[in-house]
């Protein structure tokens, strides 16, 4: 046996002690017989071997050995000995066991860790995954191990969904810990998506060389959603146009958004800690305030409109919603109030309502006007009959003064009735009007002259006309009537108290702003944008309550005692203004006087309208028409046609007295038949215009067809432009205005008859 120094050190036996001793004593002291037998068998085997084995030293200490045996042979090839070399590996084994234990520990740790962990080697291949990592990636460990990390750990940007770099590669490249970008979304193999937060760190060996990467990540979807919703609600609060206020349960403001600051003009910081009532102002409706207060007190919601005030003092309409907020236990924590500035909408609504009211008003006026006009038209015939017959009776009763006096009273009453009917007709625009280029200043001067005659003692009347007011297209008589009606009302309003009435005339540019300010001017503006003449009649009398002011243009509306007012004065004014395509406005308040403003469109050109003047004019009721009615009984033959029997009867008697021979008809057919039977039997045809069936124009047409040279006159209770034009077309010689007095009528007939003779 050879026992070298190293063997001596290892086992504690010197060479002297060892040589010659059985191996069993030297190394195998503590082993069992069975084990000893295997060792011996190995020992005797001729094959070289390596193995690990535990032996004992001289003092019995076990020692781990790494054993290599090499057989030795003699020249005959017989196995004669064995070289056994042994290395003490006790420490190495200890270390290995420690490692195994720590490995186990690590596995347990990874298993129980809440975060997901993936470990890769230096090549980026997965070497470990814990269960959380398995769950989040959707890759079971057995499949994930050995795959590239980028395959198992598929991450994208949550917003753009662009693929993100593999963190293992980043760590390998940079050699340091790498955090994941915000908004990282892990796309799991099973289709799930997780918002994750993580970091990856290098694993280094003792020499500092990177041997792998450990990636730790966790599912933050929940938190991300919460953060995101918080962020979005902040963005929403900032960007919405409604003002948002949050108060505590004590109703003091704890937060306000930019829109609130913009609407109210208060900086957000200024409002903090205040009670919302600082937005109220002088015209804020106390009832609404009380409702809000009640809602806050009862912790119910409020939804309504309230007039609030901005920092600069201007009012705005606030469409306000207040909602109480409770915590999960049901305890009131806050109020959220939402403010929307609806001032513009409110203004539009008000304008719309005003327009509607105006429309209703004008429809009412029109309806009443049509009604009154219809009645007045029939009255015309009746009154003409009364007046005419009274006239005839007067002639017959010349010798009987008491009868004459009665007839005079009939005539006076009839005349008043006739004037009234004329007023109604002009209100309902059925009165003929003769529009000419008219300078308003002379009309005003003439009216002032007339008015002065009736001016109460202590009332002053002045007129001021601007120099350069252009002409308007108007009927002088009617404009004069407007001025007189307005001024008369003013005088009456004074009730004998001292005061002043002023007439002012000037020109004004009619633009959109003015048309907007006075809705009545809109129609004028639409047709005559440009300049308007403005006539103002104002007084410093008692003025009117709103309730009166709103109704003054209504026909028959009056505040005066029965015999003093008819309620027609302003209706007539209104009708005339309308017929002139103008507008009239009124400003009046109790104690502040009254001011009527009349707008008339300026005539376009000096000859425009005038040249279109119709060729046939209604017979003038002027002095020159009243030519010697002293009957020159020439015996002309007149065909008189009117569907009103009383009128026919009157005219027959009236004209007969003037020396005419009159054939009266109430039926158009009969009249035409008579003419057809003998076309030369008549010198003049007078026909009513407004008859059932054929109109006076139709009759005139047929008459002209029978005999071109036979003059035809049409009598009518109202004569407008359309009738004049049409009459001219048919060749009608004259239009007779029925309402004129009997002698005027006769004079016209006479003039016509003379032209025939
Ligand atoms: P009438 O004069 O017959 O009453 P109007 O149509 O002319 O009829 O006037 C209607 C009402 O308008 C009057 O009764 C009066 O109350 C009121 N009014 C008109 N003009 C004035 C004014 N200048 N000042 C005060 N009230 C007025």
């Amino acid at each position: 046996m050879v026992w070298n120094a190293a063997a001596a050190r290892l086992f504690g036996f010197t060479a002297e002690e060892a040589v010659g001793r059985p191996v069993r004593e030297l190394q195998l002291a503590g082993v069992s017989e069975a084990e000893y037998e295997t060792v011996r068998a190995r020992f005797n085997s001729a094959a070289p071997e390596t193995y690990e084995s535990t032996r004992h030293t001289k003092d019995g200490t076990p020692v781990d050995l790494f054993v290599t045996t090499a057989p030795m042979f003699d020249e005959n090839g017989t196995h004669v000995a064995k070289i056994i070399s042994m290395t003490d590996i006790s420490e190495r084994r200890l270390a290995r066991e420690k490692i195994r234990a720590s490995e186990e520990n690590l596995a347990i740790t990874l298993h129980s860790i809440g975060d997901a962990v993936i470990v890769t080697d230096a090549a980026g291949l997965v070497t470990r995954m814990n269960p959380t990592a398995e769950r989040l990636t959707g890759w079971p460990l057995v499949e994930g191990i050995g795959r590239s990390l980028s395959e198992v750990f598929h991450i994208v940007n949550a917003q753009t969904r662009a693929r993100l770099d593999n963190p293992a590669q980043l760590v390998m490249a940079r050699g340091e810990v790498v955090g994941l970008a915000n908004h990282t979304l892990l796309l799991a193999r099973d289709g799930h998506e997780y918002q994750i937060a993580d970091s990856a760190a290098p694993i280094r060996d003792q020499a500092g060389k990177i041997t792998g990467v450990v990636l730790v990540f966790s599912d933050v979807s929940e938190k991300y959603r919460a953060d995101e919703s918080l962020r979005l609600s902040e963005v929403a609060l900032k960007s919405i146009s409604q003002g948002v206020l949050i108060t505590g349960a004590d109703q003091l403001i704890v937060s306000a958004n930019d829109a609130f600051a913009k609407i109210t003009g208060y900086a957000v910081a200024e409002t903090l800690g205040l009670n919302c009532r600082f937005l109220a102002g002088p015209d804020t409706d106390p009832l609404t305030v009380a409702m809000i207060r009640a809602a806050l007190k009862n912790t119910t919601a409020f939804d309504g409109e309230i007039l609030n005030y901005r920092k600069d003092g201007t009012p705005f309409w606030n469409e306000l919603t207040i909602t109480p907020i409770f915590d999960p236990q049901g305890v009131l924590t806050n109020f959220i109030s939402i403010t929307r500035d609806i001032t513009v909408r409110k203004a539009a609504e008000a304008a719309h309502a005003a327009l509607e009211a105006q429309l209703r008003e004008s429809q009412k006026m029109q309806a009443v006007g049509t009604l009154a006009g219809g009645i007045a038209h029939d009255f015309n015939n009746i009154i003409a009959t009364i007046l005419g017959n009274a006239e005839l009776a007067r002639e017959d009763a010349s010798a009987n003064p008491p009868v004459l006096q009665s007839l005079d009273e009939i005539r006076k009453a009839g005349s008043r009735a006739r004037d009234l009917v004329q007023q109604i007709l002009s209100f309902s625009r059925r009165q003929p009007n003769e529009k000419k280029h008219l300078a308003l200043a002379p009309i005003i001067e003439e009216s002032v002259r007339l008015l002065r005659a009736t001016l109460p003692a202590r009332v002053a009347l002045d007129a001021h006309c601007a120099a350069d007011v252009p002409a308007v297209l108007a009927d002088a008589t009617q404009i004069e009537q407007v001025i007189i009606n307005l001024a008369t009302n003013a005088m009456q309003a004074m009730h004998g108290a001292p005061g002043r009435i002023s007439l002012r005339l000037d020109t004004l540019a009619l633009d959109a702003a003015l048309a907007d300010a006075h809705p009545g001017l809109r129609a004028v503006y639409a047709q005559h944008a440009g300049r308007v003449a403005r006539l103002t009649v104002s007084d410093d009398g008692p003025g009117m309550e709103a309730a009166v002011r709103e109704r003054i243009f209504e026909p028959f509306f009056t505040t005066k005692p029965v015999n003093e007012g008819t309620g027609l004065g302003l209706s007539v004014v209104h009708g005339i203004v309308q017929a002139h395509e103008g507008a009239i406005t009124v400003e009046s308040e109790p104690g502040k006087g009254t001011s009527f403003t009349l707008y008339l469109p300026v005539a376009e050109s000096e000859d425009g309208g005038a040249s279109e003047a119709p060729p046939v004019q209604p017979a003038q009721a002027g002095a020159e028409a009243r030519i010697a009615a002293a009957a020159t009984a020439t015996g002309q033959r007149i065909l008189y046609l009117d569907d009103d029997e009383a009128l026919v009867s009157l005219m027959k008697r009236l004209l007969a007295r003037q020396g005419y021979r009159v054939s009266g008809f109430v039926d158009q057919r009969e009249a035409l038949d008579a003419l057809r039977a003998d076309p030369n039997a008549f010198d003049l045809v007078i026909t009513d215009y407004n008859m059932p069936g054929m109109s006076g124009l139709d009759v005139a047409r047929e008459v002209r067809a029978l005999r071109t040279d036979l003059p035809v006159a049409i009598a009518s209770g109202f004569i407008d432009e359309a009738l004049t034009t049409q009459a001219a077309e048919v060749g009608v010689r004259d239009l007779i205005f029925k309402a004129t007095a009997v002698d005027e009528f006769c004079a016209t007939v006479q003039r016509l008859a003379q032209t025939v003779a």
Side-chain angles (χ1 to χ4, degrees):
M1 151 139 6
V2 179
W3 187 260
N4 71 357
R9 261 197 318 277
L10 187 59
F11 290 102
F13 294 99
T14 61
E16 292 81 50
E17 289 172 319
V19 173
R21 276 208 188 192
V23 173
R24 185 158 182 19
E25 280 174 30
L26 285 177
Q27 305 170 20
L28 300 166
V31 306
S32 65
E33 268 323 296
E35 198 182 343
Y36 176 65
E37 277 312 313
T38 41
V39 173
R40 216 162 60 93
R42 250 186 198 149
F43 196 74
N44 294 330
S45 130
E49 277 182 310
T50 55
Y51 54 89
E52 283 181 18
S53 181
T54 305
R55 302 288 158 86
H56 292 82
T57 58
K58 186 178 174 185
D59 56 11
T61 318
V63 53
D64 293 320
L65 298 177
F66 182 73
V67 186
T68 315
T69 63
M72 291 179 73
F73 303 95
D74 64 10
E75 354 11 313
N76 304 323
T78 312
H79 180 213
V80 290
K82 221 155 188 186
I83 300 174
I84 303 169
S85 77
M86 288 169 292
T87 318
D88 178 1
I89 58 164
S90 301
E91 275 185 18
R92 215 193 287 167
R93 169 166 289 186
L94 213 62
R96 234 193 272 144
E97 265 164 17
K98 268 194 200 153
I99 287 169
R100 195 173 336 112
S102 92
E103 278 275 312
E104 271 168 21
N105 271 341
L106 180 62
I108 290 166
T109 311
L110 287 186
H111 207 275
S112 35
I113 220 165
D115 284 356
V117 179
I118 299 180
V119 182
T120 73
D121 62 14
L125 302 181
V126 174
T127 57
R128 279 176 189 280
M129 287 173 78
N130 74 349
T132 312
E134 284 181 284
R135 181 172 63 78
L136 292 183
T137 60
W139 284 90
L141 182 63
V142 285
E143 286 189 59
I145 296 270
R147 286 183 193 268
S148 155
L149 180 69
S150 57
E151 199 178 342
V152 172
F153 189 68
H154 186 154
I155 49 173
V156 297
N157 179 298
Q159 274 142 15
T160 65
R161 298 193 82 83
R163 176 112 206 208
L164 295 174
D165 288 335
N166 173 351
Q169 272 170 3
L170 289 178
V171 170
M172 295 303 293
R174 295 189 198 157
E176 57 186 32
V177 174
V178 173
L180 267 199
N182 277 335
H183 314 301
T184 297
L185 195 64
L186 171 66
L187 306 185
R189 190 190 187 193
D190 55 16
H192 279 94
E193 295 185 356
Y194 302 96
Q195 193 69 41
I196 57 165
D198 80 335
S199 64
I203 303 172
R204 293 177 193 274
D205 65 10
Q206 274 165 349
K209 187 168 161 266
I210 299 179
T211 58
V213 173
V214 57
L215 177 69
V216 181
F217 58 98
S218 56
D219 174 11
V220 293
S221 306
E222 203 91 309
K223 181 174 178 304
Y224 179 81
R225 273 196 285 274
D227 287 354
E228 201 52 12
S229 97
L230 194 68
R231 186 183 69 84
L232 284 177
S233 38
E234 271 164 19
V235 168
L237 268 190
K238 263 202 155 351
S239 22
I240 58 173
S241 59
Q242 285 98 329
V244 179
L245 263 193
I246 301 175
T247 72
D250 56 4
Q251 300 165 24
L252 301 182
I253 299 174
V254 292
S255 162
N257 73 345
D258 293 350
F260 180 83
K262 204 169 151 215
I263 292 171
T264 61
Y266 291 96
V268 170
E270 276 180 287
T271 66
L272 301 183
L274 296 182
N275 182 300
C276 291
R277 75 171 77 94
F278 74 95
L279 289 173
D283 288 333
T284 304
D285 177 19
L287 199 68
T288 316
V289 174
M291 278 164 64
I292 295 178
R293 211 169 276 152
L296 294 175
K297 193 163 157 251
N298 304 328
T299 59
T300 51
F302 171 84
D303 199 346
E305 293 172 0
I306 183 168
L307 189 72
N308 279 158
Y309 288 80
R310 302 182 218 275
K311 191 178 180 185
D312 64 7
T314 54
F316 72 98
W317 274 103
N318 181 353
E319 190 180 67
L320 180 65
T321 313
I322 303 177
T323 315
I325 306 291
F326 302 94
D327 71 8
Q329 283 72 45
V331 176
L332 175 79
T333 58
N334 300 87
F335 289 99
I336 294 193
S337 87
I338 309 228
T339 283
R340 191 192 301 222
D341 182 353
I342 54 161
T343 314
V344 174
R345 193 182 84 196
K346 282 289 242 192
E349 279 170 5
H352 187 74
L355 263 184
E356 265 182 356
Q358 203 204 340
L359 185 69
R360 270 200 304 280
E361 189 58 21
S362 82
Q363 279 168 342
K364 187 167 74 186
M365 299 280 276
Q366 233 166 10
V368 176
T370 311
L371 186 73
I375 296 171
H377 177 244
D378 286 342
F379 271 14
N380 241 357
N381 280 355
I382 298 168
I383 292 164
T385 311
I386 294 172
L387 284 175
N389 280 302
E391 202 65 38
L392 288 179
R394 260 171 65 89
E395 283 175 19
D396 297 339
S398 50
N400 193 337
V403 175
L404 273 181
Q405 197 192 345
S406 304
L407 289 171
D408 225 34
E409 289 304 316
I410 293 178
R411 195 178 55 177
K412 269 194 228 153
S415 303
R416 269 192 22 231
R418 189 188 55 191
D419 290 347
L420 206 57
V421 167
Q422 286 312 299
Q423 285 203 28
I424 297 174
L425 283 173
S426 60
F427 157 68
S428 64
R429 288 199 260 162
R430 289 193 174 190
Q431 203 194 41
N433 71 29
E434 231 185 308
K435 285 194 211 157
K436 290 190 179 135
H437 275 89
L438 194 72
L440 286 170
I443 305 285
I444 292 171
E445 280 154 22
E446 171 66 12
S447 309
V448 168
R449 205 176 55 76
L450 287 172
L451 286 164
R452 282 203 197 286
T454 49
L455 201 62
R458 289 182 296 167
V459 176
L461 174 68
D462 66 74
H464 180 82
C465 301
D468 51 355
V469 178
V472 296
L473 206 57
D475 180 313
T477 320
Q478 294 188 353
I479 299 299
E480 201 173 277
Q481 176 154 29
V482 167
I483 299 169
I484 288 176
N485 284 8
L486 292 175
T488 309
N489 272 343
M491 284 182 209
Q492 289 174 347
M494 309 264 183
H495 287 300
R500 171 173 294 276
I501 301 170
S502 303
L503 276 63
R504 294 272 176 279
L505 174 70
D506 60 4
T507 331
L508 195 71
L510 176 53
D511 54 17
L514 187 63
D516 269 354
H518 299 292
L521 275 175
R522 278 186 205 155
V524 183
Y525 174 66
Q527 287 191 23
H528 307 276
R531 294 208 298 164
V532 283
R534 172 172 63 179
L535 170 61
T536 313
V537 179
S538 48
D539 65 64
D540 55 3
M544 292 175 248
E545 299 279 351
V548 170
R549 196 178 58 225
E550 278 157 18
R551 299 192 58 194
I552 51 173
F553 291 112
E554 278 179 28
F556 311 113
F557 174 79
T558 179
T559 58
K560 297 170 190 170
V562 178
N563 285 322
E564 273 176 45
T566 57
L568 283 173
L570 290 178
S571 322
V572 167
V573 167
H574 187 265
I576 292 175
V577 171
Q578 294 246 301
H580 283 79
E581 292 171 348
I584 184 162
T585 62
V586 59
E587 279 167 48
S588 182
E589 263 179 63
K592 294 197 179 158
T594 301
S595 178
F596 286 92
T597 308
L598 181 72
Y599 300 90
L600 289 174
V602 161
E604 261 135 44
S605 74
E606 210 27 63
D607 40 41
S611 66
E612 287 163 19
V616 178
Q617 295 293 328
Q620 278 300 319
E624 87 269 31
R626 226 172 283 139
I627 40 170
T632 40
T634 48
Q636 282 108 326
R637 296 152 305 168
I638 297 177
L639 187 158
Y640 190 90
L641 169 64
D642 197 310
D643 62 322
D644 189 322
E645 210 164 346
L647 258 189
V648 173
S649 152
L650 167 71
M651 286 306 166
K652 269 170 74 174
R653 284 176 288 134
L654 193 64
L655 293 171
R657 286 196 189 191
Q658 307 280 322
Y660 300 102
R661 281 180 285 156
V662 185
S663 307
F665 294 91
V666 287
D667 182 277
Q668 298 96 317
R669 284 285 141 225
E670 281 175 23
L672 288 170
D673 285 348
L675 189 63
R676 204 170 287 120
D678 184 2
N680 290 314
F682 302 100
D683 302 308
L684 174 65
V685 173
I686 301 175
T687 170
D688 182 29
Y689 169 64
N690 196 358
M691 295 177 289
M694 288 175 86
S695 77
L697 282 170
D698 300 327
V699 171
R701 236 176 252 120
E702 300 232 350
V703 170
R704 306 266 312 160
L706 290 169
R707 217 187 107 188
T708 339
D709 65 334
L710 180 60
V712 183
I714 291 182
S716 175
F718 67 96
I719 298 172
D720 59 8
E721 268 181 48
L723 180 57
T724 10
T725 316
Q726 286 171 316
E729 279 164 16
V730 179
V732 167
R733 190 68 62 87
D734 221 328
L735 290 169
I736 303 176
F737 186 34
K738 267 186 173 179
T740 47
V742 171
D743 54 348
E744 290 165 10
F745 183 87
C746 292
T748 309
V749 172
Q750 188 177 9
R751 186 164 49 81
L752 281 171
Q754 273 168 356
T755 61
V756 182

